[in-house]
Structures are given as C-alpha cells and as structure tokens.
Amino acid sequence: MKYGLSLPTTKKRILMSILKLTKEKDSFLGKDLAEKALISKSSVLRHLKTLVQNGLLSRRRKFFVISPTQKIMIAVEAIKLGFHIDSVCRWLSWQDFERMVLYILEQKGYETLLSLIHISEPTRPLYISYAVFCLK
C-alpha cells in the first residue's frame, strides 16, 4: 500500500531508501526516492524538507545531496527507529561502516582513534586494509 502509512513507517522507509539510493552516489531526486520507498511524492518531499532543515541532507538545485557524515547520521537514525544493524550496514561502504562505529562510540562518550593498517602479502596483488578502533 503506497498511501496511508503511519509516520514512523513512512520515515523508516524513507531513511532506508535514502541509504539504498546513495550506496554508490551522493545525490538523488525526490521522485526516485518516492519510487524506491513506494510512498507518494508529496509525502516524500515533506520528509525531505524536514531532513534538510535538520541538517541530515543538503539541497543542490533539484537534487538532494548527502555527505558522508550525513549518511552516517541517517544510518544511526534508521537503527534507532528499529532497523537491524545488518539491514542498515548492507547499504554502507566499509568506510561508512567504520565512520558509523566511530560516531556511535563518540556519542556514547568514548574518545576514539581510528587507525588503518595496510598489510601486503606476497601472494596478493593488493593491500589488505584493516580498521582498528582504539578507545581512550
């Protein structure tokens, strides 16, 4: 059903659809979000306006733009609204996932330091990178 969804359901669908649309790019159109979320365009545009006002999205002409920091904030909000972390992380790059973990730890009062370790193995043509989180 496309219309008549409760506010929390609508918001959840919009947030998750934003993550899906921005996995590979940092902008999207309101109509694309409405199609992805299966919600009316007018309802989507109202929610997008609120997200822009709250600093979770930016607007560039007809596109809605999301920065890496905003994407993490939207991912955390989706988790707070009840999405399982696995469902949210499916739409994040590994760099976004690391930033989300740092953000959550810092919101809980931890001082954090992110260190990337690059390991080269003779049998592999590329480096393997590991993220190490250090709590102070």
Side-chain angles (χ1 to χ4, degrees):
M1 181 171 176
K2 189 172 181 176
Y3 304 98
L5 298 171
S6 69
L7 183 60
T9 301
T10 301
K11 186 174 181 180
K12 285 171 68 172
R13 285 172 107 175
I14 288 172
L15 293 177
M16 190 58 83
S17 296
I18 288 171
L19 292 175
K20 290 176 184 178
L21 286 172
T22 59
K23 180 165 174 79
E24 302 293 331
K25 56 185 181 175
D26 67 353
S27 63
F28 59 91
L29 295 169
K31 71 177 183 70
D32 294 335
L33 181 60
E35 290 172 12
K36 178 69 83 179
L38 300 174
I39 297 172
S40 71
K41 187 176 174 184
S42 61
S43 180
V44 164
L45 291 176
R46 279 193 308 276
H47 279 82
L48 288 173
K49 182 179 178 182
T50 301
L51 291 172
V52 169
Q53 289 171 342
N54 292 335
L56 295 175
L57 287 175
S58 302
R59 189 86 192 253
R60 190 179 317 136
R61 298 185 187 171
K62 62 181 181 175
F63 289 94
F64 291 90
V65 181
I66 189 167
S67 72
T69 300
Q70 291 168 325
K71 187 170 190 173
I72 298 317
M73 293 167 66
I74 285 179
V76 170
E77 187 63 25
I79 293 167
K80 286 179 182 177
L81 288 173
F83 276 104
H84 194 275
I85 193 167
D86 289 347
S87 300
V88 172
C89 290
R90 163 192 273 171
W91 305 109
L92 301 176
S93 68
W94 64 269
Q95 297 98 331
D96 291 334
F97 173 76
E98 290 170 357
R99 283 191 286 267
M100 183 180 76
V101 170
L102 282 176
Y103 177 81
I104 291 169
L105 289 171
E106 289 171 354
Q107 293 299 307
K108 296 293 182 184
Y110 292 95
E111 287 186 46
T112 58
L113 174 66
L114 174 62
S115 178
L116 292 177
I117 299 172
H118 303 286
I119 299 174
S120 156
E121 295 179 11
T123 59
R124 293 183 180 252
L126 301 174
Y127 283 105
I128 300 172
S129 298
Y130 297 93
V132 179
F133 298 98
C134 300
L135 301 178
K136 295 181 180 180

